Amino acid sequence: MNKQVADRVKSIKQSDIRRFSAICAAMGGVNLSQGVCDQPAPEAVKRAAQQAIDEDLASYTNLRGVIELRTAIAKKMRGFNGIECDPEKEIVVTVGSAGAFACIALATLNPGDECIVFSPFYGYHVNLLKLFGVGVRYVDLQPPDWSFDLAEIEAAFTPKTKMILLCTPANPSGKVFSKEELCSIAAAAKRHNVWIATDEIYEYITYGKTHVSIGALPEAKERTLTMSGGSKTYAITGWRIGYAVGPAEIIDRVSVVNDLLYICAPAPLQYGVVGGLGLPEKYYTEMRADYTVKRDMLIDTLREIGFTPFVPDGSYYMLASFEEGRWASATAATEAILNEVGVATVPGSAFYRNPADGDNQLRFCYAKKMADLEDACRRLRKLGGSRVKGAERLSRVG
Ligand code: GLN
């Protein structure tokens, strides 16, 4: 067939996150690649969705989502994020937080506009912006603490800049932006009169640091669109229940886009998330404790096999570097580890503005059932040459 595809999709390819997950599934390996979060969802979430199905709550919902969910989100935004919002006007339930970002980008940005993004970044953010014809300007986060230079942010602004995008806790670095950092970003956004979009889907997954929402800063509120959802907090990544919170006028536009693209998020699953939002504090404390154990287990394993992990303060991903020359590239490392011990990761190069910056790094996801993560760690320890390399490294350091 000699048909042309649209220019906007010509250069888009399947993400490395999905690519290595697919290869891993085909060979029956352990997937530490895609953040699938294949752990059991809380009973309260499952029961609430089941009840909604049994009660035939199956029709289209309000284009902003069911009011029960928006009311529960408003309560959580006030209590957890420190953001007051009106459930009638300032919240829209979306098809995942990715859906929230798509609707926000379409409602705020024209083709040719620019958005500032921190690198390393979550590829879906960047590729979605590119899909919509939005230019991306990057600001580097410097490992190991992922700090950034305010002057670099200032230099990234051009007359075309319309938005600055945050992800905190960040995918893939695990950075949790501090209040001071967020204040400086808010001040820059105000000076240049641009939107702030913030993806906070990992907000409950932190290790000692407190999650701060930039939308809670008075000077940022009028320009901030906060995105989150149930995916990671309740281990329901495939349910696709997300939301966006922001000023009424822009949420009105975001809601219209949401309606045009998807009509609404799956109705009974919206009720499931209402069940989740009613869980006691203990649920979140236990989830954090569980992820802390898993994070530390992976850190120990990676150090043992000669990697240098960048210890994350939040999220359930970890970037770790390997010694220059151990593999020819991050992609070669990913393929070698998958072939040799059946553990899938993501090449670090997929997350950086200059792919070379991540070419000796891999991203590991540890949102796994404990038995699966243990299996992955056992397999990783069998990696050829890992002990030798690790021992050499340690003796050199010592
Ligand atoms: N957010 C998840 C990740 O970074 C997965 C999302 C996806 O499958 N695209 O792995």
Side-chain angles (χ1 to χ4, degrees), residues 277-343:
L277 288 164
L279 285 166
E281 187 51 38
K282 180 167 166 277
Y283 170 75
Y284 302 93
T285 313
E286 285 176 2
M287 178 177 66
R288 275 190 282 268
D290 180 56
Y291 276 127
T292 305
V293 171
K294 288 172 177 168
R295 178 192 72 157
D296 294 349
M297 195 169 115
L298 185 59
I299 289 172
D300 288 348
T301 305
L302 291 176
R303 285 188 175 144
E304 206 178 304
I305 64 170
F307 276 80
T308 305
F310 300 111
V311 176
D313 287 324
S315 87
Y316 51 49
Y317 306 104
M318 193 182 303
L319 285 170
S321 63
F322 55 85
E323 236 174 319
E324 218 78 50
R326 183 167 177 182
W327 290 284
S329 66
T331 303
T334 305
E335 286 166 355
I337 295 171
L338 193 50
N339 287 330
E340 208 179 310
V341 294
V343 174

Side-chain angles (χ1 to χ4, degrees), residues 17 33-35 122 124 171 202 232 317 363:
I17 296 175
S33 170
Q34 192 177 15
Y122 173 45
Y124 282 63
N171 178 6
Y202 304 97
K232 322 290 175 174
Y317 306 104
R363 189 192 77 168

Side-chain angles (χ1 to χ4, degrees), residues 118-185:
F118 290 91
S119 170
F121 50 78
Y122 173 45
Y124 282 63
H125 287 150
V126 164
N127 289 323
L128 193 120
L129 290 167
K130 288 184 177 167
L131 182 68
F132 295 158
V134 175
V136 179
R137 308 270 298 189
Y138 298 96
V139 171
D140 287 326
L141 296 172
Q142 301 291 351
D145 61 351
W146 308 108
S147 56
F148 59 88
D149 184 351
L150 213 48
E152 225 193 289
I153 297 195
E154 208 46 54
F157 279 99
T158 77
K160 292 181 184 167
T161 310
K162 294 285 153 43
M163 176 180 280
I164 180 157
L165 174 68
L166 294 174
C167 182
T168 182
N171 178 6
S173 67
K175 177 183 175 69
V176 175
F177 284 73
S178 70
K179 187 163 181 192
E180 293 66 38
E181 287 173 328
L182 295 174
C183 284
S184 63
I185 292 167

